[in-house]
Amino acid sequence: MPGVKSRLSAETVIVRCMAHDVQDGDLSAARSTLPADRSDVGISDTVDAEGPASSEPDGTALASHGVPALARRLFGRAAQVEKLVAALADVRSGRGRAIALAGEPGIGKSALMWTVAAHARATGIQVLAKHVQGSDAPFLPDSLDMPARGDSNRSAAQQTPAPALLAAVDDLHQLPGDQIADAERLIEAAAVSPLLCLMAYRQRQLSPALASVLSRAASAGLLEVWNLGPLSQEEAEELLRDHPDVKDVDEVRHEAMGNPQYLKVLATNGEASTDAGMAILGELAGLDRTTLTTVQAAAVIGERFHPELLAAVAGLAMPETMRALDTLTRLDLVRPVEPAPQLSLRHRAVGDVVYHRLEPTERFVLHQRAERALAERAAPITQRAHHIARAADPSQPEHVTTLIAAARDSLHTSPRVAASHLRTALSLINEGEPHWHEAQVLFARTRLLTGDASESRALLDALRSAIPGQPPRDASAIADSSRLERRLGHYSEAGAIARSGLEALADNDTATAAALHTELADYAYDRQDYRTSREHAETAAEIARRHHDRAGEAKALAQAAVAHLFTADQTAAQTTATRAAEIIDAASDAALLANLEATHQLGMTEGMLGRLADAERHLERGAALSRRTGQTYMQREILSTLANTQLRSGNLRRALVTLDETARHVEGLGGPAAQAIIAMVRAEILFWLNSPSDLQEVLALAERAETLASTSPFAWAVSVRCFHAEFVLLTGDAARARWLLVDAAGGPELPRLTTWRKPRWCDTLAQAALAEGDHVSAEHWARLAEVSYEQLPSTGRRGFPLRARMRAHALNGDTDRAVKCAHDAIADFSAGGQRIETCRTLLAAADVSRAAGRTDDMDGLLGRAADLAQQCDSARLAAEVDDRRGRASTLPGSPGADDALAVLTGREREIAGLVSTGLTNQEIAATLFLSVRTVESHLARIYRKLDVPNRASLTRTMLNAV
């Protein structure tokens, strides 16, 4: 590199190298020159506080000069702003640096540069800026060649220290070849003077000569190259909050690949008047008519293209088209893609902006040409339909048939696109004309798949009532209607529609018959009629098998497996679920897309059978397919079941992320069942995830879920009410919790609960009985849990009756048997991968050990519980471990044990003393002239204060305190 020997010569190079380019030229559509500020060392046209508008804006006008304020609109660039502000501080201390900001168009290089320039100006640092525009304007204009501010006849030691400077060069990739040496000298000047040289460029558009200079400078340690990457998911979502009209945030974020400019363009549907849209239009400035027509044709094609097709759509000869493509490739507007020689626009956002600026007649003509060219090349019907939909001709009936055929082909892979085709087709024909009924049925199905329940239901109702008293022309619409009613929580209506549809079928061995049997299996399950559910499911599976509907067969088998489970046939349940899993695992994505409910049903069934890892795997697959295709109708159910599976596995953070995604799909198909279940699952996740003091949101969610479930007789509502009762227990009100749970389940024998579910809730009731010191109730619930499990043994459920029995033994003072039950329950929960339940049981076992004075056992149990709490990332479980470790100091013989009774009132000490002598509650009441109920109330408070579970433990505590 040419040498820069001193600060004096460095300053001369800096001043000669920098000029702010104020030429608008053909870029006026995308850029505006800000008012000049002539105060910087007498050089006109230096950068204003906001910086010149750029070809890739990433922020808005800066409201203030503080670093947080300057960076707040630069989504995801706070770290770079902080580092550059630190570099400015180094410059003020006399240490210069050269930094290159490299990255894709729109990634935020220019916005970052001008943000830092604004900060420099605000802190008194002189700013010199140049925006390279590829013009003939010299990089070293003579008019800006200032004399050095020092005296060249004086020694370097006598020179006045040069002031700190920021030299900002934007769009360096456009620098003419004869000015590259000036940029090289500018980089070198930063090494020997208080200069921050900041350059921004696009890597793809660097000339070989300029790339060589930058590479040498980086290798010599004179230039730092910062590659700006995409925004994170959280940053992209924050940016999109400024665009509340965006319906599918995930889709826009994924399509934009984290590029802020593309995010803004896609969020506004290609609106060219936005800052991001104007920046893209600015890249088209100066294109000749042929090249502009070429890029417009590419925008109309809308996907990768062959040059020959592009020429046909643009209406140009091949030589003209190839020259235009060379220009567009050089400007990085068009890029080669595989397989060669195909090309595409740099990004869909570029095409959206260009397309948005086309006049309607231009669009129409270009789409007509595209459709004709694709037809001549025998292109797939879905490609042709895209253009027919935008240039449809009512006088051409084949346009209608093509659109309907394309919609049928894309129904499951892209239901939104299918809906768009069908809207156009229906606009071209009148009711009753050929294809009208088919188009209406297909359109209703697209609305179902995309989660628009209201429109789909209205369309299907209209079709069903079009010809009263006659069988439907398309019986599949009946199955769709039943499915819709069920998703809206109208279970009785869903069952009635499915039954009437099955009766109306002339042939009961069809795919539609299988779908209706599946619907009736679901209806019978909701009514807890499991034998009928199994019969319908097995019939559906057999019909689906004969018709080679693998996804339909798998769903029906998974339904049958649940019915087997609930009718006490564990072996058949496991075998049938395994068959369903084998079918799903062997099925292609295309096969599953025709019936995404299969993945959900299988995942739910596997969760009930204790196969949590398999359940999560299949639900993840279903969720991925739903996201990829836009089949949002199943997304809520899949994600909420997945979140519950992750919760049971102890993956609390992941479960919460899954449930957050679920919340975006409740609208539209969010019946009371879905809303209540999602609210309750969220409450449970937050309960275990947060600290014990953080209960406000948990209780609000649980109360909301209970309100939604309070009037429904179906199984989901009973389960929700039981979970609500458990929350009441866990927050300290055992009496109310017991009443709520027994009421929800229908009485002391819990008749509204299935035999399979009873052990889980009997354990909760035994826990409430233990908290109240109720021996009789604890024994009742433990026995009911054991009997229920014996009637319907199933994987992962044995831990509940064991834990209920542990509580009954503990209340009776039978520590050895209680500890054994606890260890057996721990083993069962652990084998099933249920980390939350395992940890809860460890804590309960530690309580039993503490009451018995078994400190060694307690330490081991709490150690395992602490490890699980950490694995689950559960603040509550960790706090409960710490609490029990803290209370261990009050064990008999431990320091502080003599003060254990200090928490009791005088009356409570008196009653505790009488208990330790062996008196019953009735005898104590007679001795103290109190009612038995009053004695029981005092005794319950004594148990809580001393943290003892029963009379035996209380007696031991009293004797050790004497």
Side-chain angles (χ1 to χ4, degrees):
M1 282 192 171
V4 178
K5 308 285 186 186
S6 67
R7 289 194 175 192
L8 175 61
S9 57
E11 183 176 327
T12 302
V13 168
I14 294 165
V15 173
R16 287 181 57 83
C17 286
M18 298 304 302
H20 178 49
D21 191 340
V22 297
Q23 300 178 12
D24 286 342
D26 291 331
L27 300 180
S28 58
R31 303 184 177 105
S32 61
T33 302
L34 298 172
D37 184 331
R38 304 176 184 271
S39 62
D40 266 320
V41 293
I43 301 176
S44 63
D45 299 325
T46 53
V47 67
D48 185 78
E50 293 183 0
S54 142
S55 62
E56 46 188 338
D58 183 36
T60 60
L62 303 169
S64 67
H65 297 307
V67 175
L70 291 171
R72 70 175 180 269
R73 300 298 292 176
L74 292 177
F75 296 98
R77 305 300 177 213
Q80 287 90 348
V81 170
E82 184 177 351
K83 290 179 180 179
L84 289 172
V85 169
L88 290 174
D90 290 341
V91 169
R92 283 195 295 271
S93 301
R95 298 186 301 275
R97 292 168 69 181
I99 299 172
L101 305 175
E104 284 284 298
I107 206 67
K109 305 181 295 295
S110 301
L112 178 58
M113 174 180 288
W114 302 124
T115 296
V116 174
H119 180 76
R121 288 286 309 280
T123 55
I125 295 177
Q126 296 167 344
V127 178
L128 305 173
K130 180 176 180 65
H131 185 190
V132 180
Q133 294 183 328
S135 66
D136 294 331
F139 198 64
L140 299 170
D142 292 337
S143 61
L144 295 179
D145 190 358
M146 290 178 56
R149 282 169 283 170
D151 184 348
S152 60
N153 295 322
R154 299 170 65 185
S155 67
Q158 295 174 317
Q159 294 290 341
T160 302
L165 292 174
L166 168 64
V169 183
D170 198 9
D171 286 346
L172 182 69
H173 52 272
Q174 298 191 56
L175 189 68
D178 60 356
Q179 298 179 27
I180 292 176
D182 296 333
E184 187 175 14
R185 291 198 298 274
L186 185 62
I187 293 170
E188 191 173 75
V192 295
S193 64
L195 163 69
L196 175 58
C197 174
L198 200 55
M199 299 175 165
Y201 62 82
R202 302 177 183 179
Q203 188 73 40
R204 284 175 175 267
Q205 291 179 255
L206 287 176
S207 66
L210 183 54
S212 176
V213 166
L214 297 176
S215 177
R216 287 200 308 270
S219 298
L222 299 176
L223 177 67
E224 303 171 38
V225 179
W226 295 5
N227 289 295
L228 299 189
L231 302 183
S232 68
Q233 176 177 339
E234 294 75 17
E235 292 159 352
E237 289 176 352
E238 182 184 357
L239 186 153
L240 289 174
R241 289 193 191 106
D242 289 343
H243 303 278
D245 294 337
V246 175
K247 292 183 178 179
D248 195 329
V249 172
D250 290 336
E251 180 181 338
V252 171
R253 177 177 54 78
H254 177 76
E255 181 75 15
M257 300 182 294
N259 186 301
Q261 184 185 79
Y262 299 162
L263 280 165
K264 293 177 181 180
V265 170
L266 297 180
T268 56
N269 296 314
E271 176 58 56
S273 62
T274 64
D275 58 347
M278 293 292 285
I280 290 175
L281 284 179
E283 297 185 63
L284 309 182
L287 297 182
D288 60 50
R289 184 61 197 172
T290 297
T291 307
L292 183 60
T293 299
T294 303
V295 77
Q296 289 171 340
V300 166
I301 293 174
E303 55 189 355
R304 59 186 58 197
F305 51 82
H306 191 283
E308 184 185 20
L309 174 64
L310 183 66
V313 176
L316 298 171
M318 278 300 296
E320 291 180 295
T321 303
M322 296 308 295
R323 284 193 296 271
L325 284 172
D326 287 342
T327 300
L328 293 170
T329 303
R330 189 168 55 253
L331 294 173
D332 198 28
L333 287 165
V334 167
R335 294 178 178 178
V337 294
E338 294 295 333
Q342 293 196 88
L343 302 159
S344 75
L345 290 173
R346 182 177 74 220
H347 189 272
R348 191 194 111 190
V350 175
D352 285 358
V353 170
V354 173
Y355 188 86
H356 193 272
R357 287 297 293 260
L358 280 171
E359 296 293 336
T361 53
E362 291 178 298
R363 290 185 199 174
F364 189 86
V365 169
L366 289 171
H367 279 299
Q368 278 189 324
R369 289 180 188 164
E371 195 279 323
R372 284 198 298 268
L374 289 169
E376 291 169 0
R377 291 160 177 77
I381 198 168
T382 51
Q383 283 185 272
R384 293 176 53 205
H386 170 76
H387 300 287
I388 290 176
R390 288 154 182 79
D393 185 348
S395 66
Q396 298 188 42
E398 65 272 16
H399 280 186
V400 172
T401 56
T402 300
L403 288 169
I404 293 175
R408 196 184 304 111
D409 287 351
S410 59
L411 179 64
H412 296 111
T413 56
S414 186
R416 289 183 182 174
V417 171
S420 176
H421 293 339
L422 291 164
R423 281 197 190 94
T424 303
L426 287 166
S427 72
L428 301 175
I429 53 179
N430 297 316
E431 182 174 349
E433 291 183 352
H435 308 296
W436 180 86
H437 189 276
E438 179 188 7
Q440 285 282 34
V441 171
L442 285 172
F443 185 59
R445 195 162 296 154
T446 65
R447 307 319 294 151
L448 169 62
L449 293 176
T450 54
D452 192 337
S454 299
E455 185 175 5
S456 182
R457 186 185 190 195
L459 287 166
L460 291 170
D461 284 348
L463 289 171
R464 293 208 319 269
S465 60
I467 311 178
Q470 296 186 23
R473 294 171 59 182
D474 186 346
S476 63
I478 300 297
D480 289 339
S481 294
S482 176
R483 189 177 300 119
L484 254 177
E485 297 295 346
R486 177 164 50 84
R487 301 216 167 283
L488 290 168
H490 306 155
Y491 299 103
S492 298
E493 292 87 341
I497 291 171
R499 279 194 301 272
S500 65
L502 199 58
E503 291 168 0
L505 286 180
D507 184 357
N508 286 324
D509 188 12
T510 63
T512 298
L516 290 170
H517 277 293
T518 298
E519 285 298 307
L520 288 169
D522 275 332
Y523 173 71
Y525 173 83
D526 290 328
R527 301 292 299 180
Q528 301 187 36
D529 182 356
Y530 301 114
R531 294 190 183 281
T532 302
S533 178
R534 187 189 66 209
E535 291 169 2
H536 281 297
E538 290 174 343
T539 301
E542 185 60 35
I543 296 173
R545 186 181 306 113
R546 287 197 295 270
H547 288 270
H548 308 291
D549 177 6
R550 302 297 281 168
E553 180 185 358
K555 183 194 173 182
L557 287 172
Q559 288 176 306
V562 175
H564 280 303
L565 174 64
F566 287 170
T567 52
D569 194 343
Q570 173 80 4
T571 302
Q574 294 285 359
T575 302
T576 306
T578 298
R579 286 170 54 201
E582 289 171 350
I583 292 172
I584 293 292
D585 289 339
S588 66
D589 286 353
L592 290 183
L593 285 173
N595 192 345
L596 271 185
E597 291 189 38
T599 60
H600 175 248
Q601 182 66 58
L602 176 60
M604 188 169 61
T605 300
E606 289 172 325
M608 291 181 177
L609 292 172
R611 303 178 180 182
L612 296 183
D614 288 336
E616 185 166 355
R617 177 169 59 87
H618 289 127
L619 290 166
E620 287 279 16
R621 186 181 181 189
L625 290 173
S626 176
R627 295 186 197 102
R628 192 179 79 199
T629 61
Q631 284 197 41
T632 56
Y633 86 110
M634 277 304 302
Q635 204 156 3
R636 186 199 65 241
E637 283 90 343
I638 291 173
L639 291 173
S640 58
T641 305
L642 176 59
N644 190 48
T645 303
Q646 292 165 336
L647 164 62
R648 291 174 61 196
S649 300
N651 298 316
L652 296 177
R653 295 286 177 190
R654 195 160 61 185
L656 191 60
V657 170
T658 300
L659 212 60
D660 285 340
E661 184 180 356
T662 306
R664 294 197 286 269
H665 301 285
V666 173
E667 298 297 330
L669 280 177
Q675 294 179 40
I677 291 169
I678 290 171
M680 193 56 74
V681 173
R682 177 178 289 277
E684 191 172 2
I685 293 170
L686 293 177
F687 180 84
W688 296 115
L689 193 61
N690 296 342
S691 64
S693 60
D694 191 3
L695 281 174
Q696 184 174 357
E697 184 179 1
V698 170
L699 295 177
L701 285 166
E703 291 292 342
R704 177 171 179 265
E706 197 277 336
T707 299
L708 288 167
S710 60
T711 60
S712 174
F714 292 103
W716 68 265
V718 175
S719 292
V720 166
R721 293 175 64 192
C722 289
F723 273 108
H724 172 255
E726 184 176 50
F727 277 118
V728 173
L729 170 63
L730 293 173
T731 53
D733 194 341
R736 178 168 176 256
R738 179 160 55 167
W739 181 87
L740 287 171
L741 207 161
V742 171
D743 180 65
E749 298 303 315
L750 313 185
R752 292 180 188 158
L753 293 176
T754 63
T755 304
W756 182 81
R757 297 186 189 278
K758 282 182 182 179
R760 193 251 188 273
W761 298 115
C762 284
D763 172 52
T764 301
L765 287 163
Q767 183 180 358
L770 176 62
E772 293 186 290
D774 187 340
H775 297 251
V776 174
S777 292
E779 175 62 31
H780 170 74
W781 300 125
R783 184 60 189 148
L784 183 57
E786 291 164 343
V787 169
S788 299
Y789 180 78
E790 289 166 3
Q791 292 174 351
L792 190 56
S794 55
T795 306
R797 308 295 289 181
R798 181 167 174 261
F800 292 113
L802 285 168
R803 196 164 65 189
R805 176 54 64 188
M806 175 207 73
R807 302 186 199 280
H809 284 321
L811 196 55
N812 290 325
D814 192 344
T815 302
D816 290 339
R817 295 172 73 182
V819 169
K820 183 182 184 307
C821 286
H823 283 290
D824 288 345
I826 290 166
D828 187 74
F829 286 134
S830 182
Q834 299 186 63
R835 287 186 289 185
I836 295 290
E837 295 301 338
T838 303
C839 192
R840 292 180 66 184
T841 312
L842 285 163
L843 291 169
D847 289 338
V848 173
S849 297
R850 176 181 179 275
R854 299 182 178 185
T855 55
D856 291 341
D857 288 351
M858 184 177 180
D859 289 342
L861 292 165
L862 291 178
R864 290 180 62 188
D867 290 341
L868 281 174
Q870 184 177 20
Q871 291 173 25
C872 298
D873 198 13
S874 171
R876 175 172 293 276
L877 290 173
E880 291 192 14
V881 170
D882 292 342
D883 177 64
R884 282 162 175 78
R885 283 174 168 166
R887 285 186 285 161
S889 61
T890 63
L891 282 170
S894 301
D898 292 340
D899 300 327
L901 303 183
V903 296
L904 301 181
T905 66
R907 174 65 82 180
E908 288 168 349
R909 279 174 175 261
E910 190 175 17
I911 292 175
L914 293 172
V915 168
S916 69
T917 65
L919 295 183
T920 66
N921 288 353
Q922 288 81 0
E923 291 169 337
I924 294 171
T927 300
L928 299 179
F929 301 100
L930 300 173
S931 70
V932 174
R933 182 177 294 277
T934 300
V935 173
E936 290 173 346
S937 297
H938 279 300
L939 194 55
R941 286 194 292 272
I942 292 168
Y943 286 160
R944 285 197 296 272
K945 288 182 178 181
L946 297 183
D947 193 29
V948 294
N950 50 46
R951 301 174 85 89
S953 297
L954 175 58
T955 299
R956 190 180 299 111
T957 299
M958 293 297 295
L959 293 175
N960 280 282
V962 174

